[in-house]
Amino acid sequence: MKSKVVNLVCKVGDIILIRNYQSNGVNLGQHSFVVLSDESGQISGLSYDIICNVMSSFKNEEQREKKLRFPGNFPISHDDSEIEHNNGADGFIKTEQLYYFKKDKMDYMVIGCIKEEIFNLLLDFIEDELDVPLQDITDNL
């Protein structure tokens, strides 16, 4: 059994690796997320203390073209972040999906961060340019 990493120092702009999470009732394995907010709050009567967007890498140019057709996918270059074991792959952030978590229920670790200017562009995109409804994913509370 793997030990649980409880790293209470993750902060806005960090990239975290979550070992197991749920999305719309489906159990999913390891994935990276960018932390949008580390302020506590409530949604639908449930408490949370972190909000994230999921990140994915492009497997090839065909997938890049396909994924960037979705208006909620924000492109990100491997140079836009500082990750401990950067694989050099470009990818995207699913900005329309807001994942709400409780840190004490997460098995995660901080693996890097997005550069400040790129993080600010991401926030501007979500606030000003995103032209699709936001989806609140509360399965992990």
Side-chain angles (χ1 to χ4, degrees):
M1 183 170 154
K2 293 183 178 180
S3 63
K4 185 172 181 175
V5 175
V6 179
N7 185 348
L8 300 176
V9 297
C10 79
K11 60 190 179 309
V12 170
D14 279 350
I15 298 171
I16 59 175
L17 184 67
I18 298 178
R19 289 193 178 83
N20 296 295
Y21 68 102
Q22 291 188 355
S23 181
N24 299 311
V26 177
N27 292 324
L28 298 168
Q30 184 169 281
H31 217 90
S32 56
F33 290 78
V34 60
V35 177
L36 294 179
S37 172
D38 59 357
E39 293 183 21
S40 296
Q42 285 199 341
I43 184 166
S44 302
L46 301 169
S47 297
Y48 66 87
D49 53 19
I50 190 171
I51 304 172
C52 301
N53 286 137
V54 69
M55 302 175 69
S56 292
S57 297
F58 297 121
K59 294 177 181 34
N60 54 44
E61 192 58 36
E62 180 181 335
Q63 188 195 36
R64 172 192 295 271
E65 290 176 22
K66 180 181 174 184
K67 293 296 183 181
L68 291 182
R69 288 186 197 135
F70 294 94
N73 289 346
F74 180 83
I76 187 166
S77 164
H78 66 279
D79 293 328
D80 293 339
S81 61
E82 297 172 5
I83 299 177
E84 186 175 330
H85 299 288
N86 193 329
N87 64 6
D90 295 339
F92 60 100
I93 298 170
K94 295 181 180 183
T95 61
E96 79 283 2
Q97 298 176 357
L98 299 177
Y99 283 83
Y100 293 79
F101 293 99
K102 288 287 292 173
K103 287 186 213 174
D104 62 353
K105 293 183 178 180
M106 295 169 47
D107 185 4
Y108 76 100
M109 66 179 165
V110 177
I111 60 171
C113 65
I114 290 187
K115 293 180 179 176
E116 185 176 356
E117 61 272 13
I118 302 303
F119 185 75
N120 290 334
L121 288 173
L122 172 66
L123 292 180
D124 289 345
F125 178 82
I126 293 169
E127 293 173 6
D128 301 331
E129 299 175 41
L130 189 59
D131 196 22
V132 294
L134 293 174
Q135 179 184 9
D136 295 326
I137 300 170
T138 59
D139 297 359
N140 302 285
L141 298 177

